[in-house]
Amino acid sequence: MPKVQPSRRGKLQPPDGWSDLEPTLDEFKQKMRDGKRKVESTWSVMRVHHQRSRYIYDLFYKRKAISRKLFDYCVKQGHADGKLIGKWRKQGFEKLCCLQCIQARDTNYGTACICRVPKSKLDEREVECVHCGCRGCSSSD
């Protein structure tokens, strides 16, 4: 998850429409500061990061409410995760929660995370991802 870069004393001015997005992004920033247990504290940050990126993704690709210039600005400044948005555009990854869940090197058996398995193939038990707390982001659910 990239860090949001502050504006560098007038070198990079935000494009038109930034004032419409800024209050919502500030709310997401405030939510990221709230935490719980040691493990769950990163989960809430990951969820807010996902919501923030999905918000920018929906505005640009689904609703077509923001310009390409504003979208690129948000990605460059770290308000949205460009790599995660790139995965959402591919078939089978439309509901992906985070990039860690598809990295095989982070698991014991060299496979994807448990949240990527369709719920129909799992037992009746409740499953939570170790990385982000997701309960299932398989596209076939």
Side-chain angles (χ1 to χ4, degrees):
M1 181 171 41
K3 186 177 180 182
V4 175
Q5 298 176 0
S7 197
R8 294 189 184 115
R9 295 187 185 179
K11 288 185 180 179
L12 187 60
Q13 294 297 322
D16 294 335
W18 171 250
S19 58
D20 298 334
L21 293 179
E22 193 172 20
T24 307
L25 293 176
D26 286 339
E27 288 177 28
F28 287 136
K29 184 177 180 182
Q30 185 60 34
K31 283 183 185 179
M32 279 193 176
R33 295 176 191 252
D34 299 337
K36 296 180 178 118
R37 293 185 330 200
K38 183 178 179 181
V39 176
E40 289 180 1
S41 65
T42 59
W43 291 359
S44 63
V45 170
M46 295 295 285
R47 284 187 185 125
V48 171
H49 174 71
H50 179 273
Q51 289 174 349
R52 186 172 61 179
S53 295
R54 183 58 85 168
Y55 173 70
I56 301 290
Y57 170 81
D58 286 341
L59 284 177
F60 184 68
Y61 288 107
K62 300 291 183 185
R63 294 191 234 159
K64 301 190 185 330
I66 61 174
S67 66
R68 172 58 121 178
K69 188 174 181 180
L70 182 57
F71 175 77
D72 290 339
Y73 175 81
C74 290
V75 171
K76 187 174 183 181
Q77 293 296 313
H79 295 290
D81 189 350
K83 293 179 182 178
L84 184 59
I85 290 174
K87 287 291 182 186
W88 286 339
R89 298 195 65 209
K90 295 182 180 178
Q91 184 179 5
F93 295 98
E94 296 89 1
K95 297 181 184 178
L96 183 64
C97 56
C98 68
L99 292 173
Q100 290 178 334
C101 290
I102 58 172
Q103 292 177 350
R105 67 173 182 220
D106 293 339
T107 60
N108 292 338
Y109 301 107
T111 59
C113 184
I114 190 70
C115 68
R116 297 293 299 155
V117 178
K119 289 184 181 181
S120 62
K121 300 204 179 209
L122 291 173
D123 298 334
E124 301 267 333
R125 62 189 172 127
E126 192 69 28
V127 179
E128 280 188 344
C129 172
V130 179
H131 304 291
C132 61
C134 172
R135 292 193 174 104
C137 61
S138 175
S139 293
S140 62
D141 286 342

